[in-house]
Amino acid sequence: CEQYGADSLRLYELFMGPLEDGGDWETSGVAGCRRFLDRAWRVVEEDKLSRETVDNEAMDRALHIAIKNVTESIDSRKFNTAIADMMVFINEATKAPLVPIDGFDDFVRILSAFAPHIAEEIWGILGHSESIYHSSWPVYDEDKIKTANVEIAVQVNGKLRATIEVAADAPKEVVLGLARSEANVQKYLSQKQIRKEIVVPGRLVNLVV
């Protein structure tokens, strides 16, 4: 606590792994959690927050995944994965030239469940006069969690022959058409009859010949 702060200690205890599994103590892990909090602080300190619309799909997606998983972790107690998702958001925010202040508000509110002291400090800096604990819990947007495109493995008789990138909501016929049009797939389909076409949405196509 003296070296890294109470928030870093709290975070590390929950980040070590599932509570029921316990874990081996590594002081370096506390330092890692402190670095995460330092990066969150720097997003504010470096004057990157904007009240304008910020077009950054990766950052939006990371934020809403974090909100979803932190919300669900309250019941599931899988705090380690929820904290990991918050770290992913801060990595995206650190890379971005601008961060929407509304989105960062939401991040600070979910952070407050794990790091109450720094969250309260940042909340005040963001211009809020009341305590963060009087604010409402953020709600994630399912549409922002979905990816626009997915990479799908294309197999022939169970063996990987190609990968294709398609829209996440592409219909089966489109996915199959793209899979069959791949040059390396056509080579294994040549002069053979397709007996079965298996499509696992968002994951793979398997053409049985």
Side-chain angles (χ1 to χ4, degrees):
C1 273
E2 288 179 0
Q3 187 173 356
Y4 296 109
D7 281 344
S8 303
L9 177 59
R10 283 167 60 97
L11 269 174
Y12 177 61
E13 288 181 318
L14 297 173
F15 188 52
M16 287 170 69
L19 293 177
E20 64 273 15
D21 293 347
D24 295 327
W25 179 268
E26 292 284 349
T27 303
S28 60
V30 187
C33 287
R34 174 56 188 263
R35 287 193 295 272
F36 158 63
L37 294 177
D38 286 345
R39 288 198 300 274
W41 184 269
R42 282 198 297 272
V43 171
V44 181
E45 199 173 53
E46 293 174 359
D47 201 26
K48 298 173 71 166
L49 298 174
S50 172
R51 296 194 181 277
E52 304 296 324
T53 301
V54 177
D55 186 15
N56 189 322
E57 188 177 321
M59 185 167 55
D60 281 350
R61 184 169 183 269
L63 173 64
H64 286 270
I65 287 174
I67 294 171
K68 179 179 189 289
N69 290 344
V70 170
T71 302
E72 292 174 353
S73 77
I74 303 303
D75 291 324
S76 69
R77 293 182 174 81
K78 293 180 179 176
F79 302 117
N80 56 320
T81 56
I83 292 168
D85 288 321
M86 289 195 294
M87 291 176 173
V88 171
F89 167 74
I90 283 299
N91 287 343
E92 293 294 339
T94 300
K95 292 187 293 184
L98 291 174
V99 177
I101 195 166
D102 289 346
F104 202 73
D105 265 16
D106 287 344
F107 164 74
V108 177
R109 281 184 275 174
I110 60 174
L111 177 67
S112 68
F114 303 91
H117 306 92
I118 192 172
E120 189 76 80
E121 289 290 331
I122 293 175
W123 191 248
I125 293 170
L126 294 177
H128 301 284
S129 55
E130 282 198 326
S131 169
I132 193 170
Y133 300 102
H134 293 153
S135 66
S136 58
W137 190 256
V139 178
Y140 64 89
D141 184 341
E142 194 70 55
D143 287 339
K144 297 209 171 182
I145 291 174
K146 296 174 183 174
T147 54
N149 293 312
V150 291
E151 191 174 82
I152 292 179
V154 181
Q155 300 175 339
V156 178
N157 286 354
K159 293 185 178 179
L160 181 66
R161 300 304 182 190
T163 58
I164 56 173
E165 189 172 296
V166 299
D169 57 355
K172 178 179 177 179
E173 296 74 21
V174 172
V175 175
L176 283 171
L178 288 169
R180 287 191 297 257
S181 68
E182 284 290 309
N184 196 49
V185 173
Q186 288 182 347
K187 184 170 70 174
Y188 290 95
L189 298 181
S190 178
Q191 298 181 354
K192 292 185 175 68
Q193 183 180 353
I194 297 176
R195 298 283 185 182
K196 197 172 185 181
E197 296 176 324
I198 302 166
V199 178
V200 180
R203 293 183 59 192
L204 67 83
V205 170
N206 186 23
L207 304 173
V208 181
V209 299

